[in-house]
Amino acid sequence: MPRRVVQGGALRCERCRFTPRWCICAGERTITCPLAIDVLIHQREFWRPTSTGRLIARVIPAARHHIYRPDRPLDGPAIRLPDRELWILHPSGAPLPATASPPSLQILLLDGAWREATRMMHEVEGWGRLVSLPMTGPSRYRLRQQHDGGNCSTVEALLFLLEALSLPDEHTALRLQFELHVYAGLRTRGDKAAAEEFLADSPLREAMPELLAELNRRRPRES
């Protein structure tokens, strides 16, 4: 397991940021994707264990993450790729184009609270095409309260895009990593009832039964 660090007064895995009792690194699977993916993570979000932007950067090795600091200008040329069309995902953008070739696209995801993401959007909107995803249905990001039914986590936006661009293998692999992230987050909080409810209709039960059994194995002492 990756080494442990003390964060917020609790011992946590340096990689997945969950407590050692609920570390999910054993279930981590890397994902390759024809999209070029960049995640602009607000400096506040970067340190939150619940961040799904960090999850993307962790399980998609080719994805790049950039930390946004309000007091520092962004280096656009260092982020934009010259040989790809840049899409910036944000609800205020234009509808998703009807046709697109994944190998020709660079996707910029904005990871932060709603106000943080909006501020970041205003700084990068001139870099490329602002794209809105017609996402519907409730979010499965049970680690934070989504006050607006149209607001979903950063990784859920990417999941929707992968499905829309007909990348089912990448979608399935990332969905499992996201579900594991949410489940471990709920268990880390001690909310066993919510975790079991979440697991009831999760693909994790069939895809990773051995890992779930190991995570739930009784230990002499639980941290």
Side-chain angles (χ1 to χ4, degrees):
M1 189 184 82
R3 71 184 182 91
R4 301 172 182 180
V5 295
V6 176
Q7 180 182 328
L11 198 64
R12 292 184 179 271
C13 170
E14 186 182 54
R15 186 164 179 82
C16 70
R17 297 295 176 94
F18 291 122
T19 58
R21 173 67 178 82
W22 298 106
C23 171
I24 56 173
C25 292
E28 183 175 299
R29 304 292 183 268
T30 57
I31 303 166
T32 58
C33 184
L35 298 169
I37 299 170
D38 286 79
V39 186
L40 186 59
I41 306 177
H42 195 280
Q43 63 178 3
R44 294 179 181 174
E45 188 69 21
F46 184 79
W47 299 108
R48 294 167 180 154
T50 52
S51 169
T52 64
R54 286 181 54 87
L55 169 65
I56 293 168
R58 195 170 74 243
V59 301
I60 305 180
R64 303 183 300 170
H65 73 266
H66 318 272
I67 300 177
Y68 173 83
R69 296 178 174 86
D71 59 339
R72 298 184 187 180
L74 293 169
D75 187 357
I79 298 177
R80 296 193 300 268
L81 299 176
D83 57 343
R84 293 193 180 228
E85 179 185 1
L86 178 62
W87 286 8
I88 304 161
L89 302 188
H90 192 272
S92 66
L96 183 71
T99 59
S101 172
S104 70
L105 297 177
Q106 177 186 9
I107 307 302
L108 182 60
L109 298 159
L110 308 178
D111 191 45
W114 178 247
R115 290 184 180 180
E116 296 167 350
T118 299
R119 180 169 181 173
M120 290 189 287
M121 181 272 293
H122 287 310
E123 293 203 28
V124 303
E125 60 182 327
W127 292 5
R129 183 192 297 233
L130 208 60
V131 173
S132 174
L133 303 176
M135 301 179 68
T136 58
S139 168
R140 284 188 62 75
Y141 188 41
R142 308 290 175 81
L143 301 180
R144 297 184 197 170
Q145 183 177 2
Q146 304 292 354
H147 297 286
D148 186 332
N151 291 346
C152 293
S153 64
T154 304
V155 74
E156 286 176 300
L158 180 56
L159 282 168
F160 184 92
L161 183 63
L162 291 173
E163 187 173 42
L165 294 176
S166 299
L167 296 171
D169 293 340
E170 293 83 350
H171 177 275
T172 297
L174 184 58
R175 167 81 187 278
L176 286 174
Q177 294 299 309
F178 169 60
E179 296 273 326
L180 185 59
H181 176 86
V182 174
Y183 176 74
L186 292 170
R187 292 309 306 261
T188 292
R189 292 177 178 177
D191 199 342
K192 184 177 180 180
E196 291 304 309
E197 180 183 357
F198 176 82
L199 198 60
D201 56 355
S202 171
L204 283 176
R205 303 186 73 170
E206 290 188 8
M208 298 185 177
E210 295 86 1
L211 177 62
L212 290 174
E214 176 60 24
L215 285 172
N216 285 281
R217 179 175 59 85
R218 292 181 64 87
R219 272 72 164 178
R221 292 181 61 188
E222 298 204 356
S223 55

